[in-house]
Amino acid sequence: MKKIYFILAAAAMFLAVEANAQLGVGVGYNHINTVQKMADESDDESLDGFYIEATYDLNFLDANWGSLGLQPALRYTFGGDSESEEILGVNTRVSIAEHYLDIPVRIKFAMDVMPNLRAFVYAGPTLDFGLSSKYQCRARLSDDQVGKYTYNYYSGKNKVSTIPGFEASNPSSVYRRFDVDMGFAIGAEIYDIATVKLGLDWGLINKNKNRNIADYLITNRNTFYLGLGVRF
């Protein structure tokens, strides 16, 4: 009999949580800043892009002062940059493109500030998995010939095409695919349907995988984002 009561109580708690659960989708702008530090010197590289995510709000506590819950999410993040310049009379175009799959897990607090408007703040870790990170340089050698050099930051391999007699050695900057961020965000929920938020994530793990470099060069990835969403 006690087991039956326990099962019924657990089922009631599960249904209560499900009743307060809410699915959402969102898109937004993100600014990825990769910071490299060596001794007292530092350098950074910025990429602009976008994200697409699905969120799932689980409210565990509702009171007069607000609500407290958990918001796991699944997010795709893209960041890129490109620029063109002339080097020794040759027109070149350099580009960088990064793709990530992120799993944020946030503790979220929300409270009513006026009718049909709730303010919220959340904080927590994000697990990042790098899908692709590539550097590419294209050079127009002549009217009918274009040379291309591509470097993969995860495999450490490069590829040279359409440049006769040119051989490139593999650079030693090799990145880890896995990273962990810690971040926070503030935002608002309007009519319990639309959301707007502003957040920042800090990378905690040195992205350099090559031990000879990682011993003295620290590379971290930080992301600022601004987004809109819809709750169902």
Side-chain angles (χ1 to χ4, degrees), residues 38-75:
M38 181 186 298
D40 296 332
E41 298 182 358
S42 64
D43 189 18
D44 65 290
E45 179 180 73
S46 297
L47 305 177
D48 294 305
F50 65 91
Y51 73 86
I52 303 172
E53 70 175 0
T55 61
Y56 194 65
D57 283 277
L58 298 168
N59 289 334
F60 298 125
L61 180 61
D62 285 301
N64 294 331
W65 43 262
S67 63
L68 187 65
L70 188 69
Q71 187 192 72
L74 183 64
R75 180 175 66 201

Side-chain angles (χ1 to χ4, degrees), residues 124-145:
T126 297
L127 306 180
D128 300 329
F129 183 77
L131 301 176
S132 176
S133 181
K134 290 185 178 180
Y135 165 90
Q136 186 178 95
C137 178
R138 297 172 62 91
R140 180 164 293 281
L141 306 177
S142 62
D143 292 339
D144 58 351
Q145 188 178 38

